[in-house]
Amino acid sequence: MPRTPPLVIGHRGAPGYRPEHSRSSYELALALGVDAVEPDVVPTRDGVLVVRHENEVSGTTDVADRPEFRDRRVTKTVDGETLTGWFTEDFTWAELSTLRCRERLPGLRPGNTIFDDTEPVLRLRDVLDLVRDARTGREVGVVLEIKHATYFSGIGIDVAALVEHELRAADWADGAHPLVVESFELEVLRQVRQRGIRATWIYLLEETGAPADLAAAYGPAAAPYAQTVTPAGLDGLVGVVDGISVDRRMILDPDAHDRPRGPAAFVAEAHARGLRVYTWTCRPENAFLLTPFRTSADPAELGCYEQEWAVIRDAAIDGVFVDHADLGVAFFRG
């Protein structure tokens, strides 16, 4: 029986060609044929969910060049990482809406910088409306990633409540449109699910480290992400989530987490338990490829990405995140 192609997800839109999370990035991803797009969400001070990869926004907006916000620059610790910059929770939506998007990787993707300072920051509602109203001739979904829920809870912001409010207001809560909700923190997935949102629930897994919610609860005794892909760990997810989404290195590296079960054995084991497996993020540039698939020392040059992606495809994954929507659609669905 032919294998069903994986869901091809535009990671932050199409950031291989446009600044991530900009309107043009999402529009291009939709035009290039993705099955879904992935907005990351973080809150403002007044409870609006905005679409940014992180709550510190100096690397993806023009905030550092805005004199009126110079005094907002602070140092914070978010999920154990000390960061200095400008944070969404210190701005109202009215203030953040005046910022403009910038390319996060200008050295690697200089062509994208021609779009710098031309597009405003988006809200989650903007992306939901854009996808719902897109005239693609096919059903396109949203893969909503909730960022830093434990951190925000610690400063008095209930992200689960904000997600529910936004999804219901946009008519995305009752299953009328394809929706996946994902997070690196299992607790916030439970909280949103308990609010009656109809979605597919995906637990994101890093190659190393421990989830922020468990780290906050248990400190050094927190179970690492890697334990999740053991048989016992997968057993514990049955009935809690619908699947996992793993760092692609966990599939590509035969020595990382699976010994002695063999390369990516956890994919088949997850499927045997009725769990889906997604992977992130497939990018074609040498900078992101594992060493055997690089073509030169030039980080921006496209490497032998199809060879690397073939390993991922052959692992029978159910969904894949891509930066270059056209390449992802052509390879995984071609």
Side-chain angles (χ1 to χ4, degrees), residues 48 91 154 200 270:
V48 176
F91 292 78
T200 298

Side-chain angles (χ1 to χ4, degrees), residues 14 22 54 58 87 93 116 149 164 303 323:
S22 63
E54 296 293 342
S58 64
F87 296 80
W93 166 241
D116 282 356
E164 179 195 11
D323 277 8

Side-chain angles (χ1 to χ4, degrees), residues 242-253:
D242 298 302
I244 57 176
S245 183
V246 302
D247 184 331
R248 76 188 205 293
R249 290 176 180 82
M250 296 172 72
I251 295 173
L252 293 167
D253 185 352

Side-chain angles (χ1 to χ4, degrees), residues 63-124:
V63 66
D65 294 337
R66 302 292 287 273
E68 67 269 35
F69 299 134
R70 192 168 295 144
D71 62 349
R72 306 286 178 92
R73 187 174 187 267
V74 294
T75 297
K76 300 187 180 190
T77 300
V78 180
D79 295 347
E81 183 178 2
T82 300
L83 302 168
T84 298
W86 289 261
F87 296 80
T88 59
E89 65 268 23
D90 296 331
F91 292 78
T92 66
W93 166 241
E95 292 171 327
L96 271 182
S97 68
T98 68
L99 300 182
R100 295 296 179 263
C101 299
R102 286 186 177 176
E103 171 56 39
R104 185 172 64 90
L105 303 170
L108 190 67
R109 296 171 175 169
N112 293 5
T113 62
I114 66 172
F115 302 99
D116 282 356
D117 302 340
T118 64
E119 300 182 72
V121 172
L122 300 177
R123 302 167 298 176
L124 172 61

Side-chain angles (χ1 to χ4, degrees), residues 20-303:
E20 66 184 41
H21 290 314
S22 63
R23 178 174 290 273
S24 66
S25 183
Y26 287 108
E27 289 176 338
L28 183 58
L30 295 172
L32 292 175
V34 297
D35 299 302
V37 294
E38 184 231 20
D40 305 301
V41 296
V42 290
T44 65
R45 188 172 68 203
D46 51 346
V48 176
L49 291 176
V50 295
V51 179
R52 291 286 94 190
H53 180 240
E54 296 293 342
N55 55 324
E56 199 290 296
V57 296
S58 64
T60 58
T61 73
D62 63 347
V63 66
D65 294 337
R66 302 292 287 273
E68 67 269 35
F69 299 134
R70 192 168 295 144
D71 62 349
R72 306 286 178 92
R73 187 174 187 267
V74 294
T75 297
K76 300 187 180 190
T77 300
V78 180
D79 295 347
E81 183 178 2
T82 300
L83 302 168
T84 298
W86 289 261
F87 296 80
T88 59
E89 65 268 23
D90 296 331
F91 292 78
T92 66
W93 166 241
E95 292 171 327
L96 271 182
S97 68
T98 68
L99 300 182
R100 295 296 179 263
C101 299
R102 286 186 177 176
E103 171 56 39
R104 185 172 64 90
L105 303 170
L108 190 67
R109 296 171 175 169
N112 293 5
T113 62
I114 66 172
F115 302 99
D116 282 356
D117 302 340
T118 64
E119 300 182 72
V121 172
L122 300 177
R123 302 167 298 176
L124 172 61
R125 180 62 181 269
D126 299 321
V127 176
L128 295 174
D129 290 349
L130 175 65
V131 175
R132 183 197 61 216
D133 298 337
R135 297 181 179 181
T136 61
R138 66 189 191 283
E139 190 172 56
V140 181
V142 166
V143 180
L144 168 60
E145 181 178 347
I146 302 172
K147 308 288 292 193
H148 307 304
T150 299
Y151 164 79
F152 286 119
S153 177
I155 59 174
I157 299 175
D158 185 345
V159 177
L162 296 179
V163 168
E164 179 195 11
H165 172 76
E166 293 288 347
L167 291 174
R168 294 197 185 282
D171 192 31
W172 276 79
D174 62 359
H177 310 289
L179 175 66
V180 175
V181 181
E182 62 180 8
S183 179
F184 286 100
E185 300 172 59
L186 197 58
E187 181 57 30
V188 72
L189 294 179
R190 290 192 182 101
Q191 292 171 359
V192 179
R193 190 170 191 173
Q194 288 169 357
R195 291 172 175 270
I197 302 299
R198 294 182 62 184
T200 298
W201 306 91
I202 298 293
Y203 189 27
L204 289 161
L205 303 177
E206 297 266 20
E207 187 181 21
T208 59
D213 50 352
L214 295 184
Y218 301 108
Y225 284 112
Q227 287 190 11
T228 306
V229 298
T230 64
L234 293 170
D235 286 342
L237 294 180
V238 175
V240 179
V241 293
D242 298 302
I244 57 176
S245 183
V246 302
D247 184 331
R248 76 188 205 293
R249 290 176 180 82
M250 296 172 72
I251 295 173
L252 293 167
D253 185 352
D255 296 322
H257 311 297
D258 271 331
R259 196 185 298 161
R261 291 181 292 152
F266 69 85
V267 177
E269 292 171 352
H271 285 162
R273 291 161 174 80
L275 297 170
R276 306 179 195 186
V277 181
Y278 295 175
T279 190
W280 50 272
T281 299
C282 285
R283 299 174 168 117
E285 296 105 332
N286 283 323
F288 301 110
L289 298 173
L290 267 61
T291 300
F293 304 107
R294 296 173 188 166
T295 54
S296 74
D298 180 357
E301 180 179 274
L302 300 192

